[in-house]
Amino acid sequence: MSGIDVIYLDNAATSFPKPPEVAEAILEFLTHKAGNPGRSGHSLAVAADAVVAETRRSLASLLGVRDPSRLVFTLNGTAALNLAMYGLLRPGDRVVTTSMEHNSVARPLFALAERGVDVIWLPCAQDGSLDLEDLDRALRAAPTRLVAMTHASNVCGTILPIGAAAELAHRHGALLLVDAAQTAGVLPIDVTEQSIDLLAFPGHKGLLGPTGTGALYVAPGVHLTPMQQGGTGTHSELLSQPDELPFALEAGTVNTVGIAGLSAALRVLKATGIEAVRAREASLVERLLEGLQEIRGVTVHGPLDSAQRVAVVSVILHGWEPVDVGAALDSAFGIAVRPGLHCAPLAHRTLGTFPLGTVRLAPGYSTTDDEIDQALVALRELSLSAG
Ligand SMILES: Cc1ncc(COP(=O)(O)O)c(C=O)c1O
């Protein structure tokens, strides 16, 4: 159990519980450090600036970013993705993306297509995997500005091959934008080694920070047009937005309170180690998948091999609509899951689960084996009665 009386299996939406250090750091920040970073020379402004700078450094070290100033804080994963795509793409540009994308990639691209950006949607297989030959073929077909793809599906957990995609994209003169919403903090990511040009991620999922946090990494040489202009605390004599990162893309006061919480979460994550997180989540997924396969009337979507997926498991319970399973798990068993389309209608079309969607079970690092077993008992009970 996770602090309150619920078995929380909705970590793909936002992680819970947060490490206690997160709330402690937020309280400490609000009580002792809550000036406006970079805006004044007094002690509270300096203290706030130090927290923001330290968090940027911690993220850089976690993600293989050589220059922390190339990490721009945003309010969530969606804002980082929008900044990347609207900042980069112009009418006439071509983008290749996949059929497994979350609406935070798909909707901006759909809107950009209406403004004259050419968007190519690559169909993925029914287990959510991407055939790299399809990507290669799409890139050969015409000059492409950007490949935009998720690192792992938020519907069925399938991991997409971002390293190979980066190689292909670069061979054909395109940049790679990775949506790391489901992988930052749970899979090793090194933007330098993996040659990722743009990495967008929230702070409130696998990174264990509070909501209202996220960031975009922008590789050297990649220029994005700011979506907002405004105060940065630097070059105040100029009416134009400063060119240097992060300020070029970070107008206005950042979410210092959230960043203070994220900073504490990153310290916990560093002490734990991403490999330990990955191993623990893989073990929970194996336990869950094994149990699910023993329940008659349950279909599991996505790969059965834990090495090919993150801890996001989608199921259908025959005779039940996903929304009713979600309600029954909540009301009768105190289990929090997410039913439906998970903001990813294209992914559900790919899996063949549109329009009703699936029931998504997403354990996290602090989920216990017993909680997985209780979820399995509950699903087995539901499977014996009709929805
Ligand atoms: C794959 C994927 N991309 C983007 C997002 C959007 O992230 P946020 O909710 O932080 O805006 C999510 C959130 O669920 C996601 O799962």
Side-chain angles (χ1 to χ4, degrees):
M1 272 309 159
S2 44
I4 60 166
D5 200 12
V6 74
I7 294 177
Y8 186 79
L9 296 178
D10 197 15
N11 287 277
T14 197
S15 51
F16 181 84
K18 308 296 181 189
E21 289 87 340
V22 173
E24 285 161 20
I26 288 173
L27 183 63
E28 153 82 6
F29 184 86
L30 281 170
T31 314
H32 298 295
K33 300 178 178 171
N36 196 322
R39 303 302 200 266
S40 318
H42 60 72
S43 58
L44 288 180
V46 170
D49 199 41
V51 169
V52 173
E54 186 204 324
T55 315
R56 234 188 277 278
R57 281 196 299 273
S58 301
L59 281 174
S61 132
L62 180 75
L63 299 167
V65 173
R66 295 227 167 103
D67 173 2
S69 70
R70 303 206 70 88
L71 278 161
V72 176
F73 282 115
T74 60
L75 289 181
N76 47 42
T78 304
L81 288 162
N82 273 266
L83 176 56
M85 290 182 279
Y86 279 93
L88 185 76
L89 297 168
R90 299 289 165 266
D93 281 345
R94 186 171 186 268
V95 185
V96 175
T97 188
T98 85
S99 72
M100 289 307 289
E101 301 309 314
H102 186 276
N103 273 343
S104 294
V105 171
R107 284 182 173 166
L109 286 180
F110 188 77
L112 281 160
E114 293 189 330
R115 295 185 187 184
V117 171
D118 185 16
V119 183
I120 311 299
W121 301 91
L122 290 181
C124 289
Q126 234 194 338
D127 65 353
S129 62
L130 173 71
D131 187 339
L132 285 167
E133 284 185 14
D134 289 343
L135 177 60
D136 190 32
R137 209 169 301 120
L139 289 169
R140 279 178 200 283
T144 301
R145 181 88 179 106
L146 183 70
V147 173
M149 63 192 265
T150 191
H151 191 184
S153 164
N154 70 306
V155 174
C156 59
T158 312
I159 297 171
L160 298 194
I162 53 164
E167 247 182 79
L168 280 177
H170 295 158
R171 195 183 306 157
H172 294 284
L175 299 174
L176 177 70
L177 162 64
V178 173
D179 173 0
Q182 295 300 335
T183 55
V186 301
L187 283 188
I189 297 177
D190 188 310
V191 294
T192 308
E193 263 181 27
Q194 292 171 298
S195 292
I196 296 166
D197 301 293
L198 294 155
L199 185 87
F201 53 94
H204 65 95
K205 298 188 199 257
L207 293 179
L208 306 178
T211 47
T213 58
L216 177 68
Y217 163 71
V218 184
V222 177
H223 178 77
L224 300 182
T225 305
M227 287 174 73
Q228 326 191 82
Q229 287 81 24
T232 57
T234 59
H235 297 294
S236 294
E237 73 286 2
L238 295 179
L239 285 178
S240 58
Q241 192 69 13
D243 284 334
E244 72 264 19
L245 288 175
F247 308 112
L249 302 173
E250 214 175 62
T253 306
V254 292
N255 176 10
T256 49
V257 177
I259 289 170
L262 177 59
S263 197
L266 292 169
R267 279 193 291 275
V268 173
L269 211 48
K270 186 173 178 192
T272 310
I274 296 288
E275 286 72 21
V277 173
R278 173 67 176 146
R280 175 70 190 138
E281 292 201 357
S283 142
L284 290 166
V285 163
E286 280 158 20
R287 191 177 189 94
L288 182 57
L289 290 176
E290 250 173 56
L292 286 169
Q293 284 169 279
E294 284 167 13
I295 305 176
R296 278 186 64 179
V298 166
T299 303
V300 180
H301 290 273
L304 293 176
D305 175 1
S306 66
Q308 292 175 36
R309 58 150 55 251
V310 293
V312 179
V313 176
S314 251
V315 299
I316 300 266
L317 204 56
H318 296 281
W320 284 81
E321 292 208 358
V323 66
D324 296 328
V325 177
L329 287 176
D330 181 37
S331 62
F333 299 95
I335 298 174
V337 299
R338 180 160 173 204
L341 292 176
H342 317 104
C343 297
L346 299 175
H348 281 283
R349 284 184 190 279
T350 308
L351 305 183
T353 47
F354 186 86
L356 295 180
T358 53
V359 179
R360 186 178 75 181
L361 302 104
Y365 180 71
S366 50
T367 303
T368 62
D369 288 353
D370 182 55
E371 288 177 318
I372 296 290
D373 294 346
Q374 288 190 53
L376 289 167
V377 167
L379 285 168
R380 193 169 298 121
E381 244 179 72
L382 294 183
S383 77
L384 296 174
S385 58

